[in-house]
Amino acid sequence: MSGTPSRTRTDWTGFSTILIRETGRIVRIWGQTILPPAVTSTLYFVIFGSLIGRRVGQVGGHGYMQFIAPGLIMMSVIQNSYGNVVSSFFGAKFGKHIEELLVSPLPNWLIVLGYVMGGVIRGFLVGTVVTIVSLFFTRLGVAHPFAIVAAAVLTSLVFALGGFINAMFAKNFDQISWFPTFVLTPLTYLGGVFYSITMLPTWAFRASHLNPILYMVSAFRYGFLNTSDVDLRLAFGIMIAAAAGMFALAVILMNRGAGIRD
Amino acid sequence: MQALVLRQLTKIYKNGIKALQGIDLDVPQGDFFALLGPNGAGKTTAIGIVTSLVTKTSGTVEVFGHDLDRELEVAKSCIGVVPQEVNFNQFESVETIVVNQAGFYGIPRRLARQRAETYLKELQLWDRRHSTARSLSGGMKRRLMIARALMHKPELLILDEPTAGVDIEVRRSMWEFLRHLNAEGTTIILTTHYLEEAESLCRHVAIIDRGRIIERDSMANVLRKLQTETFVFNVRAALAAPPRIDGFPAKLGDDHTLEVEVAKGQSLNDIFAALSAQGIEVDSMRNKVNRLEELFIRLVDAGGRAEGAAK
Ligand SMILES: Nc1ncnc2c1ncn2[C@@H]1O[C@H](COP(=O)(O)OP(=O)(O)O)[C@@H](O)[C@H]1O
Ligand SMILES: [Mg+2]
């Protein structure tokens, strides 16, 4: 805006500093960020995959363990992208260190993007850990690597943005746990992580199509298993539209400064 | 060049409190400037608007000629701010905090590390660079915020009550540091409710009370004004012109009242003597309280109480 040639470079330095700080935070508190999903996903694989899965048999032409593995990876990506941004940004608001960024010349959209990419980094790290865990229990072929990466990145963008928006509105810690408990977790469980929606009665099958998480999980699973419960173009269209719309909303909220600027 | 220009700056908070009622202020480049006022006067609000932490209701702000509404990013890079309350991440290390802050201002990481060493050494925090911020003492936290504010070498440093709650010794060394910084060319604005602090550091002062600037002058002039009292004499016979009273500036209120300025240490007897000599008879006399004086008394009271409480 100043017209100085180095504006882009200083912006990049600022943005990458947010990434360094967010990554530093993830690593510093790894016992809260990386370890829990590794533990819970192991439990899921043992209980649902090995013990119960043996009696379920095939789902959509695949072993049950193979079927739920992509779903569990995606579930951890969703929860962790979301959780990282909501707690980091709300913490910054609560502890007032968001002011370090507000006084700096970094534009608002880059602040949003910095926090959101922090969430994507956490989603990626945890997704990788859960993938490694899953390989102890099942074999995962890679049918469409591009679909895997695109679905994972887009999903984690959407939920990182969701975390940001939640943190913007939240006035206390209760208000950052409300959304994950009452919306995120139910939608994830009902989004075809543990079952194929073709197993559902007609009304539930139809209702499931209103659940955005269904599209994300299905697109991701398609990348591994080459089968999908939904139309893939629609799935990616929904993810791109959601990410773009939520990014715009987050920047608008940031510009207004509701809850962070008196 | 003015480092800071405020015009008709107004702030009404959502709860209806009028924290700033149209303030005008000019701070020249290179100045050491005090914004002095009691608690709740609007100092932090004014600083907040200048540093983009508070949204103004109306008015304009210019930093080195850059209007905040039109050239926000440039204006922001000219300012370093030390807030009244701690606002770093308590779980980060001292070095991380200052290096990251430089990054937010676009300073490359290598350069940021070098500067961190310089400033943390100058502010006696280098030995604690790996400690988490939360383990620092109050004075150290304040110094950490000063180091953080300097990382991008701002031309204007703003400190909001930098020495509140800091013990005397640390306060003195902080003053020394700020004086040195100002001598090197950094414009400094600090807010305080200690008159002593403004007096020993600042060249110019604006006094703010209830959202209004009630005085803006050199520190020396303000101190002189505080040293004088005005007495009002009601005289029996109408006066056409103020009488001459050696050593005491006098002026007429109306033709039956005479206002005389008296500096501390001067004797009222001299006035009575001069008036008797000129045949002017005094019916009654009272002390005219000016707002500055009134405020000064409140400041001294509050300061005294705060000092007392700290012991
Ligand atoms: N966030 C806020 N919301 C509502 N009122 C506020 C807020 N911050 C300050 N005020 C009020 O505005 C006035 C000025 O406060 P402030 O700028 O903090 O004064 P000072 O820094 O001089 O002590 C006070 O009456 C204070 O109560
Ligand atoms: Mg204040």
Side-chain angles (χ1 to χ4, degrees), chain A residues 77-100:
Chain A
V77 169
I78 290 173
Q79 288 171 345
N80 284 278
S81 308
Y82 183 90
N84 199 69
V85 185
V86 81
S87 54
S88 179
F89 191 74
F90 184 74
K93 219 171 95 166
F94 193 77
K96 284 176 176 274
H97 45 277
I98 188 60
E99 293 181 1
E100 293 179 336

Side-chain angles (χ1 to χ4, degrees), chain A residues 99-100 102 104-105 261-262, chain B residues 52 55 73 76 87 101 148:
Chain A
E99 293 181 1
E100 293 179 336
L102 297 180
S104 83
R261 235 183 238 121
D262 286 309
Chain B
S52 311
T55 326
E73 279 88 5
K76 278 172 154 184
N87 73 341
Q101 189 66 21
R148 184 184 63 177

Side-chain angles (χ1 to χ4, degrees), chain A residues 1-4 7 9-18 20-21 25 28 95-108 111 256-262, chain B residues 11 13-14 51-56 70-74 76-77 79 81 83 85-93 97 99-109 148:
Chain A
M1 225 150 288
S2 66
T4 54
R7 187 77 253 168
R9 172 175 287 180
T10 56
D11 279 355
W12 167 253
T13 305
F15 172 73
S16 57
T17 304
I18 302 183
I20 292 169
R21 173 154 107 170
R25 177 180 169 277
R28 188 172 66 235
K96 284 176 176 274
H97 45 277
I98 188 60
E99 293 181 1
E100 293 179 336
L101 285 160
L102 297 180
V103 300
S104 83
L106 259 193
N108 284 336
I111 297 177
R256 272 207 219 139
I260 53 172
R261 235 183 238 121
D262 286 309
Chain B
K11 174 64 188 182
Y13 281 108
K14 277 197 214 82
T51 56
S52 311
L53 294 176
V54 175
T55 326
K56 65 185 159 64
R70 279 178 282 123
E71 298 177 276
L72 182 63
E73 279 88 5
V74 195
K76 278 172 154 184
S77 12
I79 306 175
V81 61
E85 275 161 39
V86 166
N87 73 341
F88 40 68
N89 187 336
Q90 303 261 2
F91 298 100
E92 286 176 347
S93 77
I97 288 171
V99 169
N100 282 347
Q101 189 66 21
F104 300 147
Y105 282 87
I107 312 288
R109 224 159 168 79
R148 184 184 63 177

Side-chain angles (χ1 to χ4, degrees), chain B residues 75-139:
Chain B
K76 278 172 154 184
S77 12
C78 299
I79 306 175
V81 61
V82 180
Q84 184 171 359
E85 275 161 39
V86 166
N87 73 341
F88 40 68
N89 187 336
Q90 303 261 2
F91 298 100
E92 286 176 347
S93 77
V94 168
E95 191 175 19
T96 305
I97 288 171
V98 293
V99 169
N100 282 347
Q101 189 66 21
F104 300 147
Y105 282 87
I107 312 288
R109 224 159 168 79
R110 260 175 44 128
L111 181 57
R113 287 237 165 75
Q114 289 167 10
R115 284 193 191 169
E117 184 172 349
T118 309
Y119 289 121
L120 291 179
K121 278 182 175 162
E122 279 186 43
L123 287 153
Q124 288 116 47
L125 287 166
W126 183 243
D127 293 344
R128 300 296 301 268
R129 65 190 177 279
H130 300 307
S131 311
T132 55
R134 133 182 105 141
S135 71
L136 301 182
S137 71

Side-chain angles (χ1 to χ4, degrees), chain B residues 88-262:
Chain B
F88 40 68
N89 187 336
Q90 303 261 2
F91 298 100
E92 286 176 347
S93 77
V94 168
E95 191 175 19
T96 305
I97 288 171
V98 293
V99 169
N100 282 347
Q101 189 66 21
F104 300 147
Y105 282 87
I107 312 288
R109 224 159 168 79
R110 260 175 44 128
L111 181 57
R113 287 237 165 75
Q114 289 167 10
R115 284 193 191 169
E117 184 172 349
T118 309
Y119 289 121
L120 291 179
K121 278 182 175 162
E122 279 186 43
L123 287 153
Q124 288 116 47
L125 287 166
W126 183 243
D127 293 344
R128 300 296 301 268
R129 65 190 177 279
H130 300 307
S131 311
T132 55
R134 133 182 105 141
S135 71
L136 301 182
S137 71
M140 286 174 172
K141 284 179 178 167
R142 197 69 58 147
R143 266 147 42 211
L144 170 57
M145 294 203 290
I146 296 178
R148 184 184 63 177
L150 294 173
M151 288 296 286
H152 63 291
K153 295 200 186 272
E155 294 168 76
L156 170 63
L157 179 66
I158 303 179
L159 305 105
D160 197 358
E161 313 231 5
T163 59
V166 170
D167 66 52
I168 305 269
E169 223 165 290
V170 176
R171 189 182 299 178
R172 302 263 168 216
S173 76
M174 223 184 259
W175 284 359
E176 222 25 72
F177 181 80
L178 294 177
R179 271 196 205 105
H180 176 70
L181 204 64
N182 178 249
E184 307 257 277
T186 307
T187 310
I188 301 183
I189 299 176
L190 61 81
T191 77
T192 181
H193 59 260
Y194 299 118
L195 185 73
E196 189 207 347
E197 181 159 73
E199 198 181 328
S200 73
L201 286 174
C202 302
R203 271 190 293 285
H204 289 103
V205 60
I207 298 180
I208 182 170
D209 189 32
R210 300 190 187 97
R212 289 204 169 84
I213 302 276
I214 59 170
E215 190 71 51
R216 157 78 172 87
D217 211 332
S218 70
M219 199 64 228
N221 282 345
V222 167
L223 286 175
R224 203 164 39 69
K225 282 178 202 170
L226 285 172
Q227 295 295 320
T228 60
E229 276 182 284
T230 304
F231 286 89
V232 182
F233 297 87
N234 287 310
V235 295
R236 181 152 303 166
L239 291 170
R244 252 188 76 83
I245 313 170
D246 275 345
F248 297 88
K251 64 176 206 253
L252 287 183
D254 55 49
D255 57 2
H256 280 87
T257 59
L258 182 63
E259 296 186 8
V260 183
E261 271 183 39
V262 182

Side-chain angles (χ1 to χ4, degrees), chain A residues 262, chain B residues 13 15 17 19 37-46 84 160-161:
Chain A
D262 286 309
Chain B
Y13 281 108
N15 58 8
I17 288 183
N39 281 326
K43 303 182 295 295
T44 299
T45 302
Q84 184 171 359
D160 197 358
E161 313 231 5

